[in-house]
mmCIF file with all atom_site columns, all heavy atoms in Angstrom:
data_model
loop_
_atom_site.group_PDB
_atom_site.id
_atom_site.type_symbol
_atom_site.label_atom_id
_atom_site.label_alt_id
_atom_site.label_comp_id
_atom_site.label_asym_id
_atom_site.label_entity_id
_atom_site.label_seq_id
_atom_site.pdbx_PDB_ins_code
_atom_site.Cartn_x
_atom_site.Cartn_y
_atom_site.Cartn_z
_atom_site.occupancy
_atom_site.B_iso_or_equiv
_atom_site.pdbx_formal_charge
_atom_site.auth_seq_id
_atom_site.auth_comp_id
_atom_site.auth_asym_id
_atom_site.auth_atom_id
_atom_site.pdbx_PDB_model_num
ATOM 1   N N   . LEU B 1 10  ? 71.738 23.677 -51.548 1.00 0.00 ? 10  LEU B N   1
ATOM 2   C CA  . LEU B 1 10  ? 72.781 22.721 -51.959 1.00 0.00 ? 10  LEU B CA  1
ATOM 3   C C   . LEU B 1 10  ? 73.584 23.351 -53.082 1.00 0.00 ? 10  LEU B C   1
ATOM 4   O O   . LEU B 1 10  ? 73.021 23.811 -54.075 1.00 0.00 ? 10  LEU B O   1
ATOM 5   C CB  . LEU B 1 10  ? 72.159 21.407 -52.442 1.00 0.00 ? 10  LEU B CB  1
ATOM 6   C CG  . LEU B 1 10  ? 73.192 20.378 -52.918 1.00 0.00 ? 10  LEU B CG  1
ATOM 7   C CD1 . LEU B 1 10  ? 73.632 19.478 -51.776 1.00 0.00 ? 10  LEU B CD1 1
ATOM 8   C CD2 . LEU B 1 10  ? 72.684 19.531 -54.067 1.00 0.00 ? 10  LEU B CD2 1
ATOM 9   N N   . ASN B 1 112 ? 78.952 21.295 -52.162 1.00 0.00 ? 112 ASN B N   1
ATOM 10  C CA  . ASN B 1 112 ? 78.639 20.130 -51.338 1.00 0.00 ? 112 ASN B CA  1
ATOM 11  C C   . ASN B 1 112 ? 78.734 18.856 -52.171 1.00 0.00 ? 112 ASN B C   1
ATOM 12  O O   . ASN B 1 112 ? 78.830 17.757 -51.632 1.00 0.00 ? 112 ASN B O   1
ATOM 13  C CB  . ASN B 1 112 ? 77.188 20.144 -50.838 1.00 0.00 ? 112 ASN B CB  1
ATOM 14  C CG  . ASN B 1 112 ? 76.780 21.409 -50.141 1.00 0.00 ? 112 ASN B CG  1
ATOM 15  O OD1 . ASN B 1 112 ? 76.366 22.369 -50.770 1.00 0.00 ? 112 ASN B OD1 1
ATOM 16  N ND2 . ASN B 1 112 ? 76.918 21.419 -48.835 1.00 0.00 ? 112 ASN B ND2 1
ATOM 17  N N   . CYS B 1 113 ? 78.609 19.017 -53.480 1.00 0.00 ? 113 CYS B N   1
ATOM 18  C CA  . CYS B 1 113 ? 78.439 17.845 -54.329 1.00 0.00 ? 113 CYS B CA  1
ATOM 19  C C   . CYS B 1 113 ? 79.032 18.139 -55.704 1.00 0.00 ? 113 CYS B C   1
ATOM 20  O O   . CYS B 1 113 ? 78.984 19.278 -56.161 1.00 0.00 ? 113 CYS B O   1
ATOM 21  C CB  . CYS B 1 113 ? 76.941 17.554 -54.426 1.00 0.00 ? 113 CYS B CB  1
ATOM 22  S SG  . CYS B 1 113 ? 76.494 16.305 -55.631 1.00 0.00 ? 113 CYS B SG  1
ATOM 23  N N   . ALA B 1 114 ? 79.615 17.124 -56.331 1.00 0.00 ? 114 ALA B N   1
ATOM 24  C CA  . ALA B 1 114 ? 80.117 17.283 -57.694 1.00 0.00 ? 114 ALA B CA  1
ATOM 25  C C   . ALA B 1 114 ? 79.395 16.310 -58.612 1.00 0.00 ? 114 ALA B C   1
ATOM 26  O O   . ALA B 1 114 ? 79.217 15.144 -58.263 1.00 0.00 ? 114 ALA B O   1
ATOM 27  C CB  . ALA B 1 114 ? 81.619 17.024 -57.739 1.00 0.00 ? 114 ALA B CB  1
ATOM 28  N N   . LEU B 1 115 ? 78.974 16.811 -59.764 1.00 0.00 ? 115 LEU B N   1
ATOM 29  C CA  . LEU B 1 115 ? 78.420 15.942 -60.805 1.00 0.00 ? 115 LEU B CA  1
ATOM 30  C C   . LEU B 1 115 ? 79.518 15.677 -61.812 1.00 0.00 ? 115 LEU B C   1
ATOM 31  O O   . LEU B 1 115 ? 80.110 16.602 -62.340 1.00 0.00 ? 115 LEU B O   1
ATOM 32  C CB  . LEU B 1 115 ? 77.290 16.632 -61.571 1.00 0.00 ? 115 LEU B CB  1
ATOM 33  C CG  . LEU B 1 115 ? 75.949 16.899 -60.924 1.00 0.00 ? 115 LEU B CG  1
ATOM 34  C CD1 . LEU B 1 115 ? 74.920 17.198 -62.002 1.00 0.00 ? 115 LEU B CD1 1
ATOM 35  C CD2 . LEU B 1 115 ? 75.509 15.719 -60.114 1.00 0.00 ? 115 LEU B CD2 1
ATOM 36  N N   . ILE B 1 140 ? 85.075 17.601 -51.725 1.00 0.00 ? 140 ILE B N   1
ATOM 37  C CA  . ILE B 1 140 ? 83.635 17.688 -51.936 1.00 0.00 ? 140 ILE B CA  1
ATOM 38  C C   . ILE B 1 140 ? 83.024 16.435 -51.335 1.00 0.00 ? 140 ILE B C   1
ATOM 39  O O   . ILE B 1 140 ? 83.419 15.324 -51.682 1.00 0.00 ? 140 ILE B O   1
ATOM 40  C CB  . ILE B 1 140 ? 83.315 17.793 -53.436 1.00 0.00 ? 140 ILE B CB  1
ATOM 41  C CG1 . ILE B 1 140 ? 83.947 19.064 -54.011 1.00 0.00 ? 140 ILE B CG1 1
ATOM 42  C CG2 . ILE B 1 140 ? 81.803 17.802 -53.663 1.00 0.00 ? 140 ILE B CG2 1
ATOM 43  C CD1 . ILE B 1 140 ? 83.668 19.277 -55.472 1.00 0.00 ? 140 ILE B CD1 1
ATOM 44  N N   . PRO B 1 141 ? 82.077 16.581 -50.407 1.00 0.00 ? 141 PRO B N   1
ATOM 45  C CA  . PRO B 1 141 ? 81.608 15.412 -49.663 1.00 0.00 ? 141 PRO B CA  1
ATOM 46  C C   . PRO B 1 141 ? 80.872 14.370 -50.502 1.00 0.00 ? 141 PRO B C   1
ATOM 47  O O   . PRO B 1 141 ? 80.908 13.189 -50.172 1.00 0.00 ? 141 PRO B O   1
ATOM 48  C CB  . PRO B 1 141 ? 80.657 16.008 -48.616 1.00 0.00 ? 141 PRO B CB  1
ATOM 49  C CG  . PRO B 1 141 ? 80.967 17.460 -48.567 1.00 0.00 ? 141 PRO B CG  1
ATOM 50  C CD  . PRO B 1 141 ? 81.499 17.842 -49.909 1.00 0.00 ? 141 PRO B CD  1
ATOM 51  N N   . HIS B 1 142 ? 80.158 14.795 -51.564 1.00 0.00 ? 142 HIS B N   1
ATOM 52  C CA  . HIS B 1 142 ? 79.359 13.842 -52.337 1.00 0.00 ? 142 HIS B CA  1
ATOM 53  C C   . HIS B 1 142 ? 79.714 13.911 -53.815 1.00 0.00 ? 142 HIS B C   1
ATOM 54  O O   . HIS B 1 142 ? 79.908 14.988 -54.365 1.00 0.00 ? 142 HIS B O   1
ATOM 55  C CB  . HIS B 1 142 ? 77.868 14.138 -52.176 1.00 0.00 ? 142 HIS B CB  1
ATOM 56  C CG  . HIS B 1 142 ? 77.452 14.394 -50.765 1.00 0.00 ? 142 HIS B CG  1
ATOM 57  N ND1 . HIS B 1 142 ? 77.177 13.381 -49.878 1.00 0.00 ? 142 HIS B ND1 1
ATOM 58  C CD2 . HIS B 1 142 ? 77.299 15.544 -50.066 1.00 0.00 ? 142 HIS B CD2 1
ATOM 59  C CE1 . HIS B 1 142 ? 76.849 13.895 -48.701 1.00 0.00 ? 142 HIS B CE1 1
ATOM 60  N NE2 . HIS B 1 142 ? 76.921 15.219 -48.789 1.00 0.00 ? 142 HIS B NE2 1
ATOM 61  N N   . LEU B 1 143 ? 79.771 12.729 -54.420 1.00 0.00 ? 143 LEU B N   1
ATOM 62  C CA  . LEU B 1 143 ? 80.116 12.640 -55.831 1.00 0.00 ? 143 LEU B CA  1
ATOM 63  C C   . LEU B 1 143 ? 78.992 11.885 -56.531 1.00 0.00 ? 143 LEU B C   1
ATOM 64  O O   . LEU B 1 143 ? 78.617 10.797 -56.106 1.00 0.00 ? 143 LEU B O   1
ATOM 65  C CB  . LEU B 1 143 ? 81.420 11.855 -55.942 1.00 0.00 ? 143 LEU B CB  1
ATOM 66  C CG  . LEU B 1 143 ? 82.418 12.174 -57.037 1.00 0.00 ? 143 LEU B CG  1
ATOM 67  C CD1 . LEU B 1 143 ? 82.804 13.637 -56.986 1.00 0.00 ? 143 LEU B CD1 1
ATOM 68  C CD2 . LEU B 1 143 ? 83.668 11.315 -56.841 1.00 0.00 ? 143 LEU B CD2 1
ATOM 69  N N   . ILE B 1 144 ? 78.447 12.467 -57.585 1.00 0.00 ? 144 ILE B N   1
ATOM 70  C CA  . ILE B 1 144 ? 77.423 11.756 -58.366 1.00 0.00 ? 144 ILE B CA  1
ATOM 71  C C   . ILE B 1 144 ? 77.966 11.547 -59.772 1.00 0.00 ? 144 ILE B C   1
ATOM 72  O O   . ILE B 1 144 ? 78.293 12.516 -60.466 1.00 0.00 ? 144 ILE B O   1
ATOM 73  C CB  . ILE B 1 144 ? 76.104 12.544 -58.425 1.00 0.00 ? 144 ILE B CB  1
ATOM 74  C CG1 . ILE B 1 144 ? 75.555 12.797 -57.014 1.00 0.00 ? 144 ILE B CG1 1
ATOM 75  C CG2 . ILE B 1 144 ? 75.064 11.776 -59.262 1.00 0.00 ? 144 ILE B CG2 1
ATOM 76  C CD1 . ILE B 1 144 ? 74.281 13.623 -56.991 1.00 0.00 ? 144 ILE B CD1 1
ATOM 77  N N   . VAL B 1 176 ? 87.128 10.146 -51.201 1.00 0.00 ? 176 VAL B N   1
ATOM 78  C CA  . VAL B 1 176 ? 85.707 10.490 -51.238 1.00 0.00 ? 176 VAL B CA  1
ATOM 79  C C   . VAL B 1 176 ? 84.939 9.271  -50.770 1.00 0.00 ? 176 VAL B C   1
ATOM 80  O O   . VAL B 1 176 ? 85.202 8.162  -51.225 1.00 0.00 ? 176 VAL B O   1
ATOM 81  C CB  . VAL B 1 176 ? 85.229 10.839 -52.668 1.00 0.00 ? 176 VAL B CB  1
ATOM 82  C CG1 . VAL B 1 176 ? 83.791 11.337 -52.643 1.00 0.00 ? 176 VAL B CG1 1
ATOM 83  C CG2 . VAL B 1 176 ? 86.135 11.866 -53.306 1.00 0.00 ? 176 VAL B CG2 1
ATOM 84  N N   . ASP B 1 178 ? 81.265 9.177  -50.333 1.00 0.00 ? 178 ASP B N   1
ATOM 85  C CA  . ASP B 1 178 ? 79.912 9.037  -50.876 1.00 0.00 ? 178 ASP B CA  1
ATOM 86  C C   . ASP B 1 178 ? 79.924 9.173  -52.389 1.00 0.00 ? 178 ASP B C   1
ATOM 87  O O   . ASP B 1 178 ? 79.996 10.276 -52.916 1.00 0.00 ? 178 ASP B O   1
ATOM 88  C CB  . ASP B 1 178 ? 79.004 10.091 -50.226 1.00 0.00 ? 178 ASP B CB  1
ATOM 89  C CG  . ASP B 1 178 ? 77.555 9.961  -50.691 1.00 0.00 ? 178 ASP B CG  1
ATOM 90  O OD1 . ASP B 1 178 ? 77.188 8.889  -51.217 1.00 0.00 ? 178 ASP B OD1 1
ATOM 91  O OD2 . ASP B 1 178 ? 76.806 10.940 -50.547 1.00 0.00 ? 178 ASP B OD2 1
ATOM 92  N N   . ILE B 1 179 ? 79.894 8.032  -53.099 1.00 0.00 ? 179 ILE B N   1
ATOM 93  C CA  . ILE B 1 179 ? 79.863 8.060  -54.563 1.00 0.00 ? 179 ILE B CA  1
ATOM 94  C C   . ILE B 1 179 ? 78.614 7.329  -55.038 1.00 0.00 ? 179 ILE B C   1
ATOM 95  O O   . ILE B 1 179 ? 78.336 6.214  -54.594 1.00 0.00 ? 179 ILE B O   1
ATOM 96  C CB  . ILE B 1 179 ? 81.110 7.376  -55.163 1.00 0.00 ? 179 ILE B CB  1
ATOM 97  C CG1 . ILE B 1 179 ? 82.386 8.015  -54.602 1.00 0.00 ? 179 ILE B CG1 1
ATOM 98  C CG2 . ILE B 1 179 ? 81.102 7.477  -56.691 1.00 0.00 ? 179 ILE B CG2 1
ATOM 99  C CD1 . ILE B 1 179 ? 83.671 7.422  -55.155 1.00 0.00 ? 179 ILE B CD1 1
ATOM 100 N N   . ARG B 1 180 ? 77.837 7.952  -55.899 1.00 0.00 ? 180 ARG B N   1
ATOM 101 C CA  . ARG B 1 180 ? 76.637 7.311  -56.471 1.00 0.00 ? 180 ARG B CA  1
ATOM 102 C C   . ARG B 1 180 ? 76.721 7.300  -57.988 1.00 0.00 ? 180 ARG B C   1
ATOM 103 O O   . ARG B 1 180 ? 77.345 8.183  -58.571 1.00 0.00 ? 180 ARG B O   1
ATOM 104 C CB  . ARG B 1 180 ? 75.374 8.092  -56.088 1.00 0.00 ? 180 ARG B CB  1
ATOM 105 C CG  . ARG B 1 180 ? 75.056 8.025  -54.612 1.00 0.00 ? 180 ARG B CG  1
ATOM 106 C CD  . ARG B 1 180 ? 74.553 9.366  -54.147 1.00 0.00 ? 180 ARG B CD  1
ATOM 107 N NE  . ARG B 1 180 ? 74.723 9.495  -52.718 1.00 0.00 ? 180 ARG B NE  1
ATOM 108 C CZ  . ARG B 1 180 ? 73.707 9.425  -51.846 1.00 0.00 ? 180 ARG B CZ  1
ATOM 109 N NH1 . ARG B 1 180 ? 72.495 9.228  -52.287 1.00 0.00 ? 180 ARG B NH1 1
ATOM 110 N NH2 . ARG B 1 180 ? 73.935 9.561  -50.562 1.00 0.00 ? 180 ARG B NH2 1
ATOM 111 N N   . LEU B 1 214 ? 70.287 14.257 -50.754 1.00 0.00 ? 214 LEU B N   1
ATOM 112 C CA  . LEU B 1 214 ? 71.619 14.042 -50.185 1.00 0.00 ? 214 LEU B CA  1
ATOM 113 C C   . LEU B 1 214 ? 71.630 14.590 -48.766 1.00 0.00 ? 214 LEU B C   1
ATOM 114 O O   . LEU B 1 214 ? 71.098 15.671 -48.512 1.00 0.00 ? 214 LEU B O   1
ATOM 115 C CB  . LEU B 1 214 ? 72.667 14.812 -50.982 1.00 0.00 ? 214 LEU B CB  1
ATOM 116 C CG  . LEU B 1 214 ? 73.162 14.245 -52.307 1.00 0.00 ? 214 LEU B CG  1
ATOM 117 C CD1 . LEU B 1 214 ? 74.135 15.245 -52.915 1.00 0.00 ? 214 LEU B CD1 1
ATOM 118 C CD2 . LEU B 1 214 ? 73.840 12.909 -52.102 1.00 0.00 ? 214 LEU B CD2 1
ATOM 119 N N   . HIS B 1 215 ? 72.260 13.845 -47.879 1.00 0.00 ? 215 HIS B N   1
ATOM 120 C CA  . HIS B 1 215 ? 72.337 14.341 -46.500 1.00 0.00 ? 215 HIS B CA  1
ATOM 121 C C   . HIS B 1 215 ? 73.482 15.349 -46.392 1.00 0.00 ? 215 HIS B C   1
ATOM 122 O O   . HIS B 1 215 ? 74.653 14.991 -46.440 1.00 0.00 ? 215 HIS B O   1
ATOM 123 C CB  . HIS B 1 215 ? 72.565 13.187 -45.534 1.00 0.00 ? 215 HIS B CB  1
ATOM 124 C CG  . HIS B 1 215 ? 72.774 13.651 -44.136 1.00 0.00 ? 215 HIS B CG  1
ATOM 125 N ND1 . HIS B 1 215 ? 71.742 14.180 -43.378 1.00 0.00 ? 215 HIS B ND1 1
ATOM 126 C CD2 . HIS B 1 215 ? 73.880 13.727 -43.368 1.00 0.00 ? 215 HIS B CD2 1
ATOM 127 C CE1 . HIS B 1 215 ? 72.224 14.544 -42.201 1.00 0.00 ? 215 HIS B CE1 1
ATOM 128 N NE2 . HIS B 1 215 ? 73.522 14.281 -42.166 1.00 0.00 ? 215 HIS B NE2 1
ATOM 129 N N   . ILE B 1 216 ? 73.121 16.637 -46.279 1.00 0.00 ? 216 ILE B N   1
ATOM 130 C CA  . ILE B 1 216 ? 74.175 17.654 -46.238 1.00 0.00 ? 216 ILE B CA  1
ATOM 131 C C   . ILE B 1 216 ? 74.342 18.232 -44.841 1.00 0.00 ? 216 ILE B C   1
ATOM 132 O O   . ILE B 1 216 ? 75.135 19.133 -44.614 1.00 0.00 ? 216 ILE B O   1
ATOM 133 C CB  . ILE B 1 216 ? 73.914 18.800 -47.248 1.00 0.00 ? 216 ILE B CB  1
ATOM 134 C CG1 . ILE B 1 216 ? 72.514 19.380 -47.069 1.00 0.00 ? 216 ILE B CG1 1
ATOM 135 C CG2 . ILE B 1 216 ? 74.088 18.303 -48.666 1.00 0.00 ? 216 ILE B CG2 1
ATOM 136 C CD1 . ILE B 1 216 ? 72.242 20.606 -47.924 1.00 0.00 ? 216 ILE B CD1 1
ATOM 137 N N   . ASP B 1 219 ? 77.898 18.266 -43.602 1.00 0.00 ? 219 ASP B N   1
ATOM 138 C CA  . ASP B 1 219 ? 78.956 18.788 -44.468 1.00 0.00 ? 219 ASP B CA  1
ATOM 139 C C   . ASP B 1 219 ? 79.775 19.868 -43.771 1.00 0.00 ? 219 ASP B C   1
ATOM 140 O O   . ASP B 1 219 ? 80.940 20.082 -44.080 1.00 0.00 ? 219 ASP B O   1
ATOM 141 C CB  . ASP B 1 219 ? 78.365 19.328 -45.773 1.00 0.00 ? 219 ASP B CB  1
ATOM 142 C CG  . ASP B 1 219 ? 77.858 18.206 -46.677 1.00 0.00 ? 219 ASP B CG  1
ATOM 143 O OD1 . ASP B 1 219 ? 77.968 17.034 -46.256 1.00 0.00 ? 219 ASP B OD1 1
ATOM 144 O OD2 . ASP B 1 219 ? 77.373 18.495 -47.775 1.00 0.00 ? 219 ASP B OD2 1
#
Side-chain angles (χ1 to χ4, degrees):
Chain B
L10 179 91
N112 307 86
C113 171
L115 290 197
I140 299 181
H142 314 277
L143 213 56
I144 301 178
V176 186
D178 183 18
I179 305 181
R180 292 141 202 254
L214 281 177
H215 175 71
I216 52 174
D219 289 1

